[in-house]
């Protein structure tokens, strides 16, 4: 008798709970952490959809390059988003509400590209 292969079910990506986490960070004036969390959502999406985790030694930019080259992501969506993330994390200036909104807007394009769904915040 042949063994039947069990189909592994994909874990459900709970974007609503992640949005709530962003809101909590935002409401407690932790803009930098909020923007960094958006990047973590991006890496989670890539890992879940494509099975491509970010390696511990990869920079944010290197991971983005990998996603464009290996996964065929649109560089016109990815690079502005990554640039905003890098500015926030490494820029030395506390992000503003305008920076946050710009990051959300850039992430929305990336999210739609990956999932085919709209990201509304």
């Amino acid at each position: 008798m042949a063994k039947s292969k069990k189909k592994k079910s994909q874990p459900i990506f709970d974007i609503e709970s992640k949005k709530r986490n962003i809101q909590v960070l935002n409401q407690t004036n932790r803009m930098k952490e909020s923007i960094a969390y958006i990047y973590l959502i991006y890496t989670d999406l890539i890992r879940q959809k494509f099975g491509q985790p970010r390696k511990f030694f990869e920079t944010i930019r290197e991971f983005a390059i990998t996603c464009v080259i290996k996964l065929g992501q649109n560089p016109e969506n990815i690079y502005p988003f990554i640039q905003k993330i890098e500015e926030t994390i490494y820029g030395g200036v506390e992000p503003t509400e305008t920076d946050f909104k710009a990051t959300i807007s850039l992430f929305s394009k990336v999210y739609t590209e990956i999932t085919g769904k709209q990201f509304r915040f």
Side-chain angles (χ1 to χ4, degrees):
M1 180 175 242
K3 284 186 178 180
S4 65
K5 291 184 179 182
K6 289 184 180 178
K7 190 174 185 179
K8 289 185 179 180
S9 63
Q10 286 269 357
I12 295 175
F13 193 82
D14 186 5
I15 193 65
E16 294 305 318
S17 71
K18 294 179 185 311
K19 284 181 187 177
R20 283 191 297 276
N21 291 342
I22 293 170
Q23 287 174 331
V24 168
L25 290 168
N26 213 5
Q27 290 167 350
T28 56
N29 295 319
R30 294 164 58 194
M31 268 327 149
K32 191 172 191 171
E33 290 95 335
S34 180
I35 292 171
Y37 187 71
I38 293 168
Y39 177 71
L40 292 177
I41 295 170
Y42 169 70
T43 60
D44 284 348
L45 277 170
I46 294 296
R47 184 179 56 246
Q48 182 175 341
K49 173 131 186 185
F50 301 105
Q52 179 73 43
R54 179 175 170 222
K55 297 175 178 97
F56 73 93
F57 57 82
E58 277 182 308
T59 66
I60 291 171
R61 185 168 299 263
E62 289 170 336
F63 184 65
I65 291 168
T66 297
C67 291
V68 167
I69 292 171
K70 286 178 83 176
L71 307 177
Q73 289 200 278
N74 183 349
E76 292 177 4
N77 289 336
I78 299 301
Y79 292 141
F81 170 65
I82 294 302
Q83 184 176 11
K84 195 61 151 164
I85 296 296
E86 288 178 326
E87 284 174 10
T88 300
I89 294 173
Y90 305 121
V93 177
E94 197 60 36
T96 64
E97 182 70 26
T98 303
D99 294 322
F100 173 76
K101 287 178 181 177
T103 305
I104 287 290
S105 176
L106 293 167
F107 176 70
S108 294
K109 293 175 187 176
V110 172
Y111 182 83
T112 300
E113 179 184 339
I114 295 169
T115 66
K117 299 176 185 172
Q118 292 283 329
F119 180 82
R120 298 186 197 275
F121 184 77

